[in-house]
Amino acid sequence: MRHFALSLLLAVVVISIATSWLFDHLYQTFTPAQQQHTPQTQLAQLARDIHALVAATDSPHALLSNWPAQSLLQPQIVPTSAFPLPAALQTKLQANEQIQLETDQQRLFLQRLPNSADLLIIRSDQVTSRSDLAWWLTGLFYTAMMTLILIWLLPFLLRLLKLRRAAQRFGAGDLSQRLQVGSVMYLRDLERDFNHMAERIEYLVQDVKLLSGAMSHELRTPLARIRLGMDTLEESTDPDKRRHYEARINRDLDTMSALIDQLLSYARMDQSIAELQRRPLDLGQLVKQVSRTWHDMDITLKLALPEHAVQVIGDPFYLTTLLSNLLENASKYGNGQIVVTLNHSPGFCTLAVHDDGSGVPSTQQAHIFKPFVRAHADDHTHRGFGLGLALAQRIADWHQGQLEVSDSTRLGGACFTLKLPV
């Protein structure tokens, strides 16, 4: 995280400096020379003008004796021998070039007078350079720019830091880690995706734990009966008794086979989400089609459907499976009366399946949709493994729906309510 922030700031600074240098170079290239004068170049030009003026007069000493004392440039004529210079500078003087010398307090402009052994020395107080101020202003500009960038990046970095900590805790085994979706627009989708991923992983891990624990529990009973039957078959020679135990072993094997088939079906559900054939369909017509298969059974099934079509986007096969599981649950735990209602509201529709059974205890309503969980586990008159409602819940999740259970106000039993977006 720190490397990212530092590299970003460094990149911004480097790009800014490079851009500034490029524009300055372009300015120097395309701006006329007369518009690029600095105070030093202007002083040098004034010194040349004074030299030309002194060289053109017949009495230069008289001219300089009347020179204003308050002038920025103070000219003086001295013999060349009185101002020794290195050979390279002497050569420039002989070529009538201007030489500039600089001290902390003064700047000197030297140029030889024509047809004379004298030098014209023009002294000027050192002009206060604005380069230091320019550097300070430049530094202040980049400091302000980096500060603004840091202020802009701070929410982003803080949210990324929270995401990193949540991911580390999640990887360490705390599957309950979630992110509060913040207001940073360019991280909001990432935080939502992380929460969705975390919920999905936690859901799958819970399923694995439930499946492994429940599978061992559900298989233990038929395996124990099979072992008992095999021991009895080894000890018994009575043909009738042997046929009886052989039939019991076959039933237990059928029970185990059915359990394994349901486990495989439930395990394949996660792979089937990519194969969903979503298309618009009339949910009311789907309810009518599924209800026709229940008319020949020993139950009373009533439908309360709207006259107009209720259009949803979903997979007909899986929605049929969901509704069939709800009807099967109602027929299994009810006393023969089932009512199916369908209501349409703005943005969603509500499908409810009522039965006249004993209902689902409030303490179990939050767990009834988990695999191998049955509301009346101690009631052995109803066969099943507790996977039907878990499959229905999974299908509802795939369709961005909600499946809930409550007490039925119509028949007094359980009411399973499915809400789907329209």
Side-chain angles (χ1 to χ4, degrees):
M1 191 71 62
R2 292 190 298 270
H3 295 303
F4 167 75
L6 292 175
S7 62
L8 181 60
L9 290 175
L10 180 61
V12 170
V13 171
V14 171
I15 292 173
S16 300
I17 293 176
T19 305
S20 301
W21 177 86
L22 175 62
F23 279 99
D24 183 66
H25 180 71
L26 292 175
Y27 172 79
Q28 296 292 337
T29 302
F30 295 103
T31 302
Q34 59 270 23
Q35 296 182 14
Q36 300 180 13
H37 288 166
T38 62
Q40 289 77 14
T41 59
Q42 292 176 354
L43 284 175
Q45 184 60 43
L46 286 175
R48 291 189 187 95
D49 294 339
I50 294 174
H51 175 269
L53 177 63
V54 173
T57 185
D58 295 333
S59 55
H61 292 279
L63 176 64
L64 296 185
S65 62
N66 296 320
W67 197 267
Q70 295 81 14
S71 176
L72 176 64
L73 298 176
Q74 293 294 326
Q76 179 185 6
I77 298 175
V78 296
T80 304
S81 58
F83 207 96
L85 292 171
L89 295 182
Q90 290 285 357
T91 303
K92 290 186 177 182
L93 284 178
Q94 294 298 327
N96 201 25
E97 294 183 15
Q98 186 187 69
I99 297 176
Q100 296 186 32
L101 301 177
E102 185 177 358
T103 65
D104 293 338
Q105 291 80 23
Q106 286 186 328
R107 181 182 292 269
L108 304 179
F109 300 94
L110 285 67
Q111 196 165 1
R112 189 175 63 83
L113 291 173
N115 304 320
S116 174
D118 294 332
L119 286 178
L120 178 63
I121 300 176
I122 302 175
R123 301 176 187 274
S124 169
D125 292 336
Q126 191 67 272
V127 179
T128 303
S129 175
R130 294 183 178 269
S131 58
D132 292 340
L133 179 60
W135 280 109
W136 277 106
L137 291 176
T138 302
L140 182 61
F141 165 76
Y142 286 114
T143 302
M145 183 179 64
M146 287 188 291
T147 302
L148 291 176
I149 293 174
L150 187 60
I151 292 174
W152 178 75
L153 283 176
L154 189 59
F156 177 80
L157 297 176
L158 291 177
R159 299 305 301 178
L160 278 182
L161 185 60
K162 290 182 179 179
L163 175 60
R164 179 188 178 188
R165 291 174 179 171
Q168 289 175 339
R169 292 170 183 167
F170 191 85
D174 185 5
L175 301 184
S176 63
Q177 280 295 315
R178 298 294 184 273
L179 288 173
Q180 182 179 0
V181 179
S183 59
V184 182
M185 181 178 60
Y186 38 86
L187 279 180
R188 200 177 301 159
D189 292 339
L190 180 60
E191 291 169 340
R192 289 198 187 102
D193 291 341
F194 175 85
N195 289 340
H196 179 72
M197 177 200 70
E199 290 173 3
R200 185 68 179 158
I201 293 176
E202 184 180 19
Y203 190 70
L204 291 175
V205 170
Q206 290 177 352
D207 275 1
V208 169
K209 291 180 179 179
L210 284 170
L211 286 173
S212 58
M215 186 174 179
S216 61
H217 177 269
E218 294 290 339
L219 289 177
R220 187 179 292 113
T221 301
L223 282 175
R225 289 200 298 261
I226 291 174
R227 179 178 294 277
L228 177 62
M230 295 295 294
D231 293 340
T232 304
L233 285 176
E234 290 180 356
E235 298 173 356
S236 176
T237 58
D238 185 357
D240 294 334
K241 184 177 292 187
R242 290 179 64 87
R243 283 194 297 271
H244 172 72
Y245 280 103
E246 287 174 355
R248 287 184 57 181
I249 290 174
N250 285 330
R251 287 196 301 270
D252 290 333
L253 289 173
D254 291 339
T255 299
M256 292 177 61
S257 177
L259 172 60
I260 292 173
D261 288 341
Q262 289 206 29
L263 285 172
L264 290 176
S265 298
Y266 186 81
R268 292 193 190 103
M269 291 290 283
D270 285 323
Q271 302 176 3
S272 302
I273 187 170
E275 304 173 1
L276 286 179
Q277 303 295 324
R278 300 179 185 272
R279 62 179 179 85
L281 57 91
D282 184 357
L283 190 58
Q285 291 297 323
L286 184 67
V287 172
K288 292 178 182 179
Q289 292 175 8
V290 176
S291 64
R292 293 192 187 103
T293 62
W294 295 82
H295 284 164
D296 298 334
M297 299 183 181
D298 190 19
I299 60 173
T300 301
L301 177 60
K302 296 181 180 180
L303 304 180
L305 308 177
E307 297 181 358
H308 58 83
V310 179
Q311 294 288 333
V312 298
I313 304 296
D315 187 303
F317 173 77
Y318 285 106
L319 288 179
T320 299
T321 302
L322 187 155
L323 182 56
S324 298
N325 287 353
L326 294 182
L327 291 174
E328 182 179 358
N329 184 80
S331 64
K332 183 185 297 184
Y333 294 99
N335 297 318
Q337 298 287 331
I338 300 176
V339 175
V340 179
T341 64
L342 179 61
N343 297 309
H344 187 201
S345 302
F348 65 93
C349 64
T350 304
L351 175 70
V353 178
H354 302 260
D355 65 57
D356 60 345
S358 58
V360 179
S362 58
T363 56
Q364 298 184 13
Q365 289 181 359
H367 309 285
I368 194 64
F369 297 107
K370 294 180 179 180
F372 297 104
V373 175
R374 287 175 287 184
H376 306 282
D378 53 348
D379 185 0
H380 300 287
T381 60
H382 302 102
R383 298 181 62 84
F385 304 107
L387 285 175
L389 293 178
L391 292 174
Q393 176 68 66
R394 185 66 59 86
I395 295 172
D397 290 341
W398 286 353
H399 289 80
Q400 289 80 47
Q402 296 179 358
L403 185 59
E404 301 172 347
V405 62
S406 59
D407 296 330
S408 173
T409 57
R410 284 178 173 262
L411 300 179
C415 174
F416 287 87
T417 305
L418 172 66
K419 291 184 178 180
L420 291 175
V422 296

